[in-house]
Amino acid sequence: MGDFIGSVWWMIVSLGLLVTFHEFGHYWVARRCGIKVLRFSVGFGKPLWSRRNRAGTEFAIAAIPLGGYVKMLDEREVEVHPAERGQAFNHKTVWQRIAVVAAGPAANLILCIALLWAMFVIGKQDYSATIGRTTGMAQTAGLQAGDRVVKVDGRSVATAGEASMALTTAAMDRHDAKVEVLDGLDQVRTRTLPLSQLPAGFDERRVPQLTGLSWQFWLQPALVDKVLPDAAAQGVLVPGDLIVAVDGQRIEGADQVPAQIAALGQRGGPGMIDVLRGGERLALEITPRQGVDGRGQPTWQIGIGFPETHAPSYDAELKFGPFAAVPVALRETARMAGDSLGMMRRIVTGNASLQNISGPVTIARVANVSAKRGLDWFLYFLALLSLSLCIINLLPIPILDGGHLLYYLIELVKGSPLSERAMAAGQYVGLALLAGLMGLAFYNDILGLVPR
C-alpha cells in the first residue's frame, strides 16, 4: 500500500511540475504576442481551485492530474467582442501562432537542461560500468571480471546504465558491438561482442544478461549472515566471513555458492572453502551434508545464510561545478534526445518491440523508485520525462503541438489556412492515433505488473 500511495503521489508531483512548465511556455509567449488567455489549467475536469488575475486569465487546478491546457481567445471556439478581436489567437500572424505552439515543447526542453544542470551540480551517485562476472557470449568475447567498459561502438560511457543502453541499441540494430575496456592493469582492450547472434525476439530489457555479462553492482557479496546450529558450517564459518572460493572455484557473488556446494557434495569427501575474515584470507575444510531445500527437493548444504536484501553501494559520481555543468547538461540532453528518437525510429521500423511504449502506471512506479533513491535520481527522472514530453508533443499528430505546427507549415506553403473541414478530419485522425498509443501504453503497463 505504501508503494502504491508513493507512486501516485510522485506521479502527481512529476506531471504537475512538467505540465505546469509546458503550459506556462504557451501562456508566456501568448501574452508576449498580445493574445488574451482565458484559462490556464493544470489537470483536466472540474476545477478544485481557481483564481483570476487582472488580465482576466483564470488559473485553475483540476481534478484529473494527467495533463493541462491553456485556453486562448479564439473566434473558432467562442464569440469574440469586436474590441477584442486583435487579442484573438486566430487573428495573429502564422509566425506568432507557430511561436505560441512551439513554446510548450521548448519550455520542456529548457526545463530538461536546467534539471540536468542541477543534478550535475549536486552530484549524481551511480554505478560504474565495471564487469562483475562473465559467462557465455561475453566470456567467449574475452570480457573478464574487473574490466571497466569505457566505450561501446566508439560512444563513451561512464556508468553501467549508459553501457547497457548502448549494448541494447546495438542488439536492436542486430550488429556486433565493439567494446573498449580498461582491464585490471589499466590497459585499454577492445573486444567484439557478437550481439547479432542473439535469437530473434530476445528480451530487449535483458541484453547484458543474455550475453552473459553481469555488472559488478548486480552481484551480492557472499557474506555469511548466519550459521545454522548443528550444520556442516558450524565451527568452521562465522557470520561476517566473505566466501571467495569453494573447492578452488572463484566466488564472485552469493548466487554462485549453492551450485559450487552441490558440486563439492557430489564429488564426495571434504573440500576447501576460502574466506576473508578480518582482512585475512583463510582456507577452511568443510564437508557438505545432504538435506532438502524449501521445495522439499534433495540438495547439498552447509547450513549458512546470506542477507535477504542487498543494497549495493554507489561507486561512481558525476559531479561538476556550476559553470562546467552547463556544457555537460547540454551534451547529456542531446544524448538523451538521440536515444529517444532512435528508439522511436526502431519501433516504427520494427527493430524494437512495442513493449518499449509505457504509460502512466510505469511513470508512477519509476517516479516512486527515483524519489526513494535520492534527489539526484529524481532530478534525472524529471529531466528524462520532460524531454519525452517535448519530443512526444512535437510529433506531427493532430491535437498535439506538432500537429498544429504541421498545419501552420502547410499554411505557410499554400499561403492560406487549411479549411475547417480538413482540420476537423485531422483532429479525428489524431484522436484515433492518440487513443491507440494510450491503449498500447496501458496494455504494456498492465503486462508489466503481471509476474513472470
Side-chain angles (χ1 to χ4, degrees), residues 11-12 14-24 39-50 58-71:
M11 182 188 71
I12 292 173
S14 302
L15 290 181
L17 173 64
L18 301 184
V19 167
T20 299
F21 213 85
H22 177 96
E23 299 304 333
F24 181 78
R39 174 180 284 182
F40 183 126
S41 178
V42 177
F44 299 111
K46 185 178 180 179
L48 301 175
W49 171 92
S50 68
E58 179 191 7
F59 293 86
I61 297 177
I64 306 174
L66 295 177
Y69 62 92
V70 169
K71 182 179 177 64

Side-chain angles (χ1 to χ4, degrees), residues 137 171 174 194-200 202 207 210-211:
M137 182 187 298
R174 311 299 295 173
L195 298 176
S196 61
Q197 296 179 13
L198 288 174
F202 65 89
V207 168
L210 294 175
T211 65

Side-chain angles (χ1 to χ4, degrees), residues 233-255:
Q234 182 70 36
V236 180
L237 301 177
V238 298
D241 283 348
L242 178 64
I243 300 175
V244 294
V246 175
D247 205 27
Q249 296 297 313
R250 180 178 174 181
I251 298 297
E252 292 151 344
D255 60 308

Side-chain angles (χ1 to χ4, degrees), residues 3 56 80 87 102 153 205 241 266 311 317 324 336 371 380 393 445:
D3 278 343
V80 177
Q87 300 180 65
D153 286 335
R205 296 165 296 184
D241 283 348
Q266 290 167 5
E317 183 182 40
M336 290 165 54
Y380 181 78
N393 270 284
D445 281 350

